[in-house]
Amino acid sequence: MRRGTFLALCALVPALTATILLIPRLKPVPRLHAYVGLELVLSALMFGAWAAWPEETGSRRCALASGVAARLIAAVTPAFPSTDTARYLWDGHVALAGIDPYRVVPNVARALVAPWPSWAYAGDIPTIYPPGSLLLFAIAAAFGRALAAWVWKLLVLAASLELLALIDWTLRTEKLERHLPLVALSPLLVLEGGVGGHVDVFSALAVAATIWWLSRGRSARAGAALGLGVLAKLLPGLLWFPLGLSPGRRCASRFSRGFIAAVAGGFGIAWLLGFHPPGSLFIFLKRWPNASPLFAGATALWSRAGANWAAGATALVAGAAGVWMARRGLHIEGAIVTLSGPLLAGPVLFPWYALPLVPLAALRPSAWALGFITTVLLLYEFEAGLEQAIHWSLPSWPLWAIAMAVAAGLAIDGLSRRQPPASWLTTPRHSSPREAS
């Protein structure tokens, strides 16, 4: 009975994912609501498959097959509802033309480069993406207007599949295969990567690669992997603190050297080529506030300046808590706390920003982290306001839903008082995925 339920849920995931091909035909606002509804239904299927996991041969293959099929279906869907992919390819096109996208705004650059498809928002600020992302954008844009979007989808699909392979190996090594559905069937990875085409998939891949290398005792390579993640999106850089504190001073030193070399090398090459990152990142953070629960609450209670101070304090407390947990052997738990703090308290939060949390939450599932990853999908209500040509604002109910999910999850975790497994960093494996299989 349990196995039959699991197989049925795994079969439903790609079947329902296929409905994504019909959603773009709807009008803008119903389209967004249908998209969020599909993500929530897929979340329910994911949790159901996780709960029904049968300890039998073949369960892992079924979960992997379902996840791969869903990713392939999502990848052939034209990018929506976000316009981020259009901006990615534009930045790559501008960089290929020899123009610095960190200094020139699109509204000006359009007169300096060959025609390229435009988008509706943020045409008056330079790019915010780190040099590694810009390189990936340029690779896709080099294939021209007709193919660039599909090449980008192919790159994101490859990153998503590689992430799945690395986490699958890590879970098998740690005998935690039962958590595989939390990555294989994750709507964030399937839809935000496959349909939305968000670059955050690469930062999530970097987190998975960091975990993989650390579990094999390769600290320097783990640090370099995390540094490459920073070159795709800055947020994973926060994990330098909890994950870099692996057992032994020598391991921590190697991790730090690998991390610094990758980050410094990437940004250094960008500057040598005439680019000037980080671009308009701080302008972006000022222009689109009130999309995260704690920041919105602090703004309502005090002011925007007070909310900025509260966000900074929360990030520092989360980082300190993450380091404290890591020093006690709870490296993954500390990493989750370190990443979640800035997301919950920062001025800007979109659903795809939570992608790096997915591989971490699969290794150490907790009610509050899974609640956050699930309810963050409700922030697409933010995009619904854009589609109605209102303004960059968000109704309060999605923020309340996220806050209540996190609070309820913390209460559940506190009541359950589960003993976490021993840190995988204390017993590193040195085998390869091929050897493990």
Side-chain angles (χ1 to χ4, degrees), residues 378-400:
L378 299 175
L379 291 179
Y380 267 109
E381 191 67 24
F382 192 76
E383 296 281 341
L386 288 177
E387 295 287 1
Q388 297 176 83
I390 301 175
H391 47 76
W392 289 85
S393 64
L394 181 71
S396 60
W397 70 264
L399 303 180
W400 278 106

Side-chain angles (χ1 to χ4, degrees), residues 60 165 167-177 433 436-437:
R60 169 182 159 268
I167 291 299
D168 171 54
W169 180 85
T170 306
L171 291 173
R172 279 187 291 152
T173 303
E174 300 303 315
K175 301 188 185 306
L176 295 173
E177 298 97 329
S437 61

Side-chain angles (χ1 to χ4, degrees), residues 13 69 109 177 201 241 286 290 293 331 334 345 386 396 406 413 417 420 431:
V13 169
E177 298 97 329
V201 173
F241 304 102
K286 290 180 180 179
N290 299 329
H331 295 83
L386 288 177
S396 60
V406 171
D413 292 334
R417 295 180 180 178
S431 59

Side-chain angles (χ1 to χ4, degrees), residues 29-82:
V29 175
R31 180 176 64 207
L32 284 168
H33 291 159
Y35 182 77
V36 174
L38 176 60
E39 287 201 315
L40 294 177
V41 170
L42 291 177
S43 295
L45 295 178
M46 176 191 72
F47 287 125
W50 180 42
W53 178 270
E55 297 293 341
E56 301 176 18
T57 303
S59 300
R60 169 182 159 268
R61 289 195 295 269
C62 290
L64 288 174
S66 178
V68 170
R71 283 163 172 78
L72 293 174
I73 293 169
V76 300
T77 306
F80 87 97
S82 166

Side-chain angles (χ1 to χ4, degrees), residues 83-95:
T83 60
D84 281 8
T85 297
R87 180 62 191 255
Y88 298 162
L89 299 177
W90 167 263
D91 288 340
H93 175 61
V94 171

Side-chain angles (χ1 to χ4, degrees), residues 152-227:
W152 176 251
K153 283 291 197 80
L154 184 62
L155 292 173
V156 174
L157 173 63
S160 184
L161 292 175
E162 179 64 17
L163 184 158
L164 180 57
L166 291 175
I167 291 299
D168 171 54
W169 180 85
T170 306
L171 291 173
R172 279 187 291 152
T173 303
E174 300 303 315
K175 301 188 185 306
L176 295 173
E177 298 97 329
R178 65 187 182 276
H179 300 324
L180 181 60
L182 296 178
V183 173
L185 310 182
S186 167
L188 269 177
L189 279 172
V190 171
L191 296 186
E192 297 305 317
V195 178
H198 292 289
V199 72
D200 304 72
V201 173
F202 290 94
S203 61
L205 171 60
V207 172
T210 302
I211 293 168
W212 184 65
W213 283 118
L214 281 175
S215 68
R216 300 181 68 204
R218 304 297 180 86
S219 299
R221 296 184 184 185
L226 186 62

